[in-house]
Amino acid sequence: MLNGKRVLLIVTGGIAAYKTPELVRQLIKAGAHVRCVLTKAGEQFVTPLTLSSLSGDKVYTDLFSLTDEHDMGHINLSREADIVLVAPATANALAKMAHGIADDLATTLLLATDKPVLTAPAMNVRMWEHAATRDNVKLLQARGVTMIGPDEGDMACGEWGEGRMSEPEDIVLALNAFFDGEAPLKGFSAVVTSGPTHEAIDPVRYIANRSSGKQGHAIAEALNELGAHVTLVSGPVDLADPQGITVKRVESARDMKAAVDRALPADIAVCAAAVADWRVAGEAEQKMKKDGSATPSFETIENPDILAGLSAPGPNRPRLVVGFAAETESVIEHARAKLAKKGCDWICANDVSPATGTFGGDANTVHLVTRTGVEDWPTQSKRAVARKLAARIAAHLNAEGTATKPGGAG
Ligand code: PMT
């Protein structure tokens, strides 16, 4: 854990530096001692006074300041740290690190340090995707530098893509994981539902919906990346089975429920599948014929509610049950009602009106609704939503420790 660890935070000059006061606050809250080094460009975005007020320590800016060199030269700054964190790490900072350029306090320190270095890159998507940056990142990773993020989403420059600095809580989680020496969800098991269900009318026809499985599969992968043992119960989708995950492919809501029940007990359940609420009563055993008589009409019966079943108190209730709410109007209001009705702990509300492209698309705008409030997440790729949700789940379960509180997650 971060408690008692000394973090040397290097803030370089990107717009994401505005998040560093919050990062310092969260690191201190997690029990770390934080000392900051600010580059000249970094000073354009955040003041030394803000960082020193929050860290309770002097902020170091100048390689050639006699005072800094006298009290605390760059070697001592590194010596007195357990870890060096560069956040934000601009494309320029990564390039200098990769090529051993030392032309200010931050880069000299990075060249001189023998401590583990973690970076949270932040830059425009084109800079992140540029071959030069890709090569620099590879070089740094090969030398043991850890990259935290970046995330995908809207950028200060008005573009959308990968390159946003990870959120402070995700950086804190990554540091915690680094010190723990293991993935934050190691030892936890999860069951995730994904995709649509097909409800048969006869042996060749069925009722379905537009879910592609992209969101649910990404969540299964993100939980697995954080170390959880994941069972993915998927309706019919065109996606390949993710590596390292137990995948159970099913057709109908009833098959999905049976497969979920077989995956229990589990610590975590995330229901991202678009399960058909109804099925046709009395599915025909043979293909229905168009024989000139009246057009068929169907009676429907309600399917079992998998999420509500998982959320019900009992010995097999997962410690954290997360549902999704697919809405086309009054998104938060309806999601709150579903949270209460189904009894899950959190619900990810998303607008699935055709104009949003949520069904089948690559991006999603999620509002995380809990018993205590609503968090509005930016529009981001489904992969980024998944990573954020997995990080939240890990933070919640690790904060909760070993205590099991069915139905009590805030
Ligand atoms: O698959 P993609 O194309 O990537 O799209 C992602 C998504 C839009 C499908 C996903 O983000 C999403 O919103 N999933 C939930 C879809 C849904 O069925 O929502 P709902 O509001 O009808 O249901 C509420 C919750 O109850 C969901 O967690 C659902 O999985 C669950 N449910 C519903 C009915 C049922 N019989 N059993 C259930 O478990």
Side-chain angles (χ1 to χ4, degrees), residues 92-104:
N92 186 46
L94 293 177
K96 286 184 182 176
M97 285 169 72
H99 298 284
I101 295 169
D103 59 0
D104 62 4

Side-chain angles (χ1 to χ4, degrees), residues 200-205 280-289:
I201 295 170
D202 67 17
V204 298
R205 301 180 178 93
V280 172
E283 167 195 343
E285 278 179 24
Q286 304 301 332
K287 185 184 171 199
M288 292 167 69
K289 296 281 181 231

Side-chain angles (χ1 to χ4, degrees), residues 211-213 215 271-273 304 306-307 324 326 338 342 350 360 382:
S211 170
S212 63
Q215 186 63 84
C271 292
I306 301 163
L307 176 63
F324 268 74
K338 274 183 188 160
K342 304 207 180 209
N350 48 194
K382 286 180 177 170

Side-chain angles (χ1 to χ4, degrees), residues 193-197 209-217 219 237 239 253 256 270-278 302-310 322-327 334 338 342 344 347-352 357-364 366 382:
T193 69
S194 180
T197 61
N209 63 63
R210 298 176 195 281
S211 170
S212 63
K214 287 180 183 172
Q215 186 63 84
H217 278 53
I219 291 167
V237 294
L239 305 174
M256 187 172 271
V270 182
C271 292
V275 185
D277 287 313
W278 301 280
E302 207 169 316
N303 269 327
D305 193 312
I306 301 163
L307 176 63
L310 283 164
V322 183
F324 268 74
E327 307 297 343
H334 286 150
K338 274 183 188 160
K342 304 207 180 209
C344 54
I347 211 151
C348 297
N350 48 194
D351 190 337
V352 293
T358 305
F359 265 120
D362 290 324
N364 201 356
V366 160
K382 286 180 177 170

